[in-house]
Amino acid sequence: MQSKPLGICLIIDCIGNDAAFLRDTFTSLGYEVQSFLYLSVDGIIQVLRRVACMPQHRDYDSFVCVLVSRGGSHSVFGVDRTHSGFPLDQIRRMFMGDACPFLLGKPKVFFIQNYVDSEDPLDNSSLLEVDGPAVNNLESKAKQPGSSTLHREADFLWSLCKADVSLLERSSSSPSLYLQCLSQKLGKERRRPLLELHIELNGSVYDWNSRASTKERYSVWLQHTLRKKLILSWE
């Protein structure tokens, strides 16, 4: 990647334990970091919409989003305890090529730490859904020749870590093991492909889980549609 900055790194931390060291990590990697703490679901949606519409994306080579929140199996609650939740799939949809054409053909990387309350009555199928940002597709395609040949879901990396919400109750100020390991690996091994680092991240989480009780374990799930090897640093 060549642009300076490499792109926008959006950090939304609704727990409050991880934003500071994540901000330092991604700033050192060359990102313009925008950090938000303790947002409601409506606040999360508003920030995501605003960032997805930013014209600066046309000049940058990538986008990173880190989201930390309580949630359900397929949703995040923010700081709301009476809200039905916001589907994780909707977050990804807001940055797909048809909704966010300035990022079409560029890596879009998501790291999500979701503290799940599996017994929460709000974790049901009645989830809030919103449309993606309204962007002038014709104008954007004119500025990205050939972009119409790319699939709208191309060039995503989606890394989702789930942990039991009881971890927060036991140690309310402890950072996420998943995000700590991610930050350390990105800081120390900047020239290595992100997928290789993620495999090692999975190994660190596995080692933790082998020593932890059931309620203290982390579960990491990775999906990607990257078309090229991705290294989160300048060439």
Side-chain angles (χ1 to χ4, degrees):
M1 293 187 286
Q2 302 285 343
S3 67
K4 294 187 178 183
L6 291 179
I8 294 168
C9 173
L10 173 63
I11 299 173
I12 300 175
D13 185 357
C14 300
I15 306 300
N17 297 339
D18 302 290
F21 71 83
L22 290 171
R23 186 187 307 113
D24 292 342
T25 297
F26 285 99
T27 298
S28 70
L29 290 172
Y31 281 88
E32 176 189 323
V33 176
Q34 298 189 15
S35 182
F36 299 86
L37 290 172
Y38 307 120
L39 296 183
S40 65
V41 168
D42 288 339
I44 292 173
I45 295 170
Q46 290 173 11
V47 169
L48 289 170
R49 276 179 164 167
R50 180 182 61 78
V51 172
C53 288
M54 292 179 68
Q56 291 96 315
H57 293 308
R58 76 175 67 151
D59 300 318
Y60 298 161
D61 287 343
S62 62
F63 170 71
V64 175
C65 177
V66 186
L67 173 60
V68 189
S69 179
R70 291 178 176 84
S73 297
H74 306 287
S75 64
V76 291
F77 298 153
V79 295
D80 300 76
R81 300 308 301 157
T82 59
H83 206 288
S84 58
F86 184 51
L88 291 169
D89 284 348
Q90 284 282 312
I91 295 175
R92 179 161 46 180
R93 194 179 305 172
M94 294 170 77
F95 290 87
M96 288 183 181
D98 53 351
C100 186
F102 288 135
L103 285 173
L104 188 64
K106 301 176 182 180
K108 297 163 283 286
V109 180
F110 292 79
F111 300 107
I112 299 176
Q113 174 65 72
N114 198 15
Y115 292 95
V116 178
D117 185 349
S118 58
E119 298 180 357
D120 197 305
L122 300 177
D123 183 22
N124 54 42
S125 59
S126 178
L127 299 173
L128 176 67
E129 295 197 10
V130 299
D131 294 328
V135 181
N136 189 326
N137 288 340
L138 295 178
E139 176 190 1
S140 300
K141 288 181 180 179
K143 297 177 181 179
Q144 297 190 31
S147 63
S148 60
T149 64
L150 296 178
H151 195 280
R152 70 191 189 109
E153 296 186 43
D155 301 302
F156 275 87
L157 186 142
W158 184 266
S159 178
L160 170 63
C161 180
K162 295 181 181 180
D164 195 279
V165 73
S166 62
L167 274 177
L168 298 177
E169 298 167 356
R170 297 177 188 183
S171 183
S172 60
S173 61
S174 294
S176 159
L177 170 75
Y178 157 76
L179 293 175
Q180 266 193 319
C181 291
L182 173 69
S183 179
Q184 291 168 0
K185 293 184 180 301
L186 288 174
K188 293 178 180 178
E189 304 181 61
R190 300 186 180 187
R191 305 303 301 172
R192 294 183 58 201
L194 183 56
L195 288 178
E196 290 184 12
L197 296 182
H198 202 284
I199 291 172
E200 295 181 5
L201 170 63
N202 285 346
S204 299
V205 172
Y206 177 84
D207 290 341
W208 167 271
N209 288 344
S210 66
R211 302 186 300 270
S213 66
T214 302
K215 290 288 189 179
E216 296 175 319
R217 293 175 183 171
Y218 292 80
S219 175
V220 182
W221 181 74
L222 173 68
Q223 181 185 46
H224 80 89
T225 56
L226 297 174
R227 295 175 297 124
K228 296 181 180 180
K229 186 180 295 184
L230 177 60
I231 299 173
L232 294 187
S233 65
W234 286 303
E235 292 185 356

